Amino acid sequence: MKNPALAGCAQNRTHPTIIIIGVIAVLLFSAFSALAGIGPNDMTTGSLLLKLNGGGFVEAPRQESDYTVTISGPTARTILTQRFTNPSDGWVEGVYVFPLPEGAAVDTLKIVAGNRVIVGAVKEKQLAKTIYLEAKAAGQTASLVEQERPNVFTNSVANIGPHEFVVVQIEYQEAIQQTAGTYSLRLPLVVAPRYNPAPIVQTVDFKADGTGVIKSNDPVPDRDRIEPPVLDPRSNLPVNPVSISIALNAGFVLGEVKSHHHAIRDDVKGEMSRTISLAGNTIPADKDFELTWTAAGTAPQVGLFKERIGGKDYLLATVTPPTISAIGKSLPRESIFVIDNSGSMDGPSMVQAKDALLLGLEKLKPEDRFNVIRFDDTMDMLFPTAVPADAANIGRARQFVSALTANGGTEMIPPLKASLVDDLVSAKTHLRQIVFITDGAIGNEQEMFATLSASLGRSRVFMVGIGSAPNSYLMTRAAELGRGTFTFIGDATQVTARMDALFNKLGQPVVTNLSAELTSAKGLLTPSQLPDLYAGEPVLMMAEGSGLSGDLVINGQIGDAPWTVTLPVAAATEGKGISKLWAKRTINDIEVAMTMGTLAPDAANSQVLAVALTHQIVSSQTSLIAVDTSPKRPPGMKLTRAEVPLNLPAGWNFEKVFGVDQPAPVNERDAKAEFLQLASTDQPITSAQALADQVELPQTATSAGLFLIISILMMLLAAMMRLLGLRKVEV
């Protein structure tokens, strides 16, 4: 039996233990709460959270865009205003990956800071990056616009204060697209997720001591730059709202003006002018905007425009060849249909792609030959080689296409190589044409271009871009290298009309053996190699020179007959932005020459840098940088890097793209939290060099500060327990 006095003493002494443990528990909870910050269940519906490397969450930066477009005849000038808002209590660097037209010449960057406007400049890419890092480290507001692809850009905005916003303006020039009397403007609004093939290990480089280094050729060396976080639409409302306003000055009496994917307000300002805006205030950035217009009567057949800048003249000419119903007997075709059935094509895109291919099969004639290749991360050819387009083979092809479902990755190189295998390479009995149907959602475009240019032979490649956000850079460059054309199909209503137009072109080119020259002046012409032209397509030429005069003469053949157009330079109308378009097109020529192996990469990069710096446009070798020299972020305050999340393109299936191992969260409030990858440091940034020298390591532990607090509290708890234990022994 225990001594009652001892029992009472023990009971009296357990009280402080309970109190101490309770106090320590409260301290531990407070420490966790303070370090973790806001949590998923603290958020309101629709909020986005960033999961910090050291644990805890912070609200994601928000971004909204406004496009103000002025169309003047053959060119368009766009002011893109991006507003970055920081809803959190900390300092944030916002990183936003966004698309632009592949032909956009980006030349202007401004930061709006209060009542001040800071104008940026085009610098060599690494120099611009260094300036940005120094401004970022110094706590200054800065913006850096970099080109990842000709149609994919990154805007990094440093030092956005708590609950503040920063307004950034980007301006670019582009040429209006024209085909078969229809003019078009396309505003890409979202960067679709890309399939990036794994690096291919090639060789091992052994040293004298017997050790070696594995060298690999990564087909997507910048994969981390083109893989922004994407929200799951099953559990997140759309983000990144967009507003659009277009002043259309066509230069001719307008006929039909149409927006193909969004409701618009169309205000008539005169026979030649319209003001276009969205029917609603904004739209989500999840689908490309496309506007087309036609002439009320016959569309102009020739356009000639001139701009003088910096003592040089720049010329832009467009000529539409005459439409001739009969150029001679058309040769039969050998049509190779390639269809993408990868996961990104699931849903409406797969339906559109299958409908397009089935329509193509209907267009075949008995004297034609054909084959069908389908691919995801595997590949199947319907027939071992091209077969006659008889009823039995067409029926088998229809069954094959109708049974296709979308799944898997997008390995585009194997089917491209298979489609280019020409069993009748020396035959001239058939026109060999490849119809490639895809959304183009890959990151290894350059690998595809190299394959295409090396193995094209007599084949011609016709790209069909499918879905709400196709990779337009892939489509246009592949069609250029493949000496064919490209067609966009954004929804089911466009399949029949646009595939009919494509197959009307496939009979044979209208104009071949194109060339151009300036008769009375020396000038640089672009494109350096003119393509064959198909029905309804204009030839577009640009030139640069000092004191351009005389005539621009374009020669070609329509069938067996020569075709010549002479354009007097003196008759050119004044235009704006032509010098920027010339520079952009010249850079494109340089990149094509590098792809085709006629120009070494180092030489190509040097030439691109020279042209881009001279004309002050963004390129693969240059970036735009703007810095507000007034420091904002106080010394010692941590800066968190946060990528602005993107919407999944409309009609895409999240599970098919990212896998079924990422289910939608069940809890509605948690469902609004998209945990993004961050690159942040535990210590304040002290120098640009320190930033440049950082190596990203796996962030698998809690923060050092949290560990320190836990350690101190646990040591305190151990000491208290030890003291209480000693007192018990003494009693």
Side-chain angles (χ1 to χ4, degrees), residues 13 725-731:
R13 288 179 179 175
L726 289 175
R727 289 181 178 177
K728 283 185 179 182
V729 172
E730 290 174 359
V731 173

Side-chain angles (χ1 to χ4, degrees), residues 231-245:
L231 297 181
D232 186 345
R234 298 170 299 175
S235 52
N236 292 277
L237 297 174
V239 294
N240 308 333
V242 173
S243 58
I244 297 172
S245 176

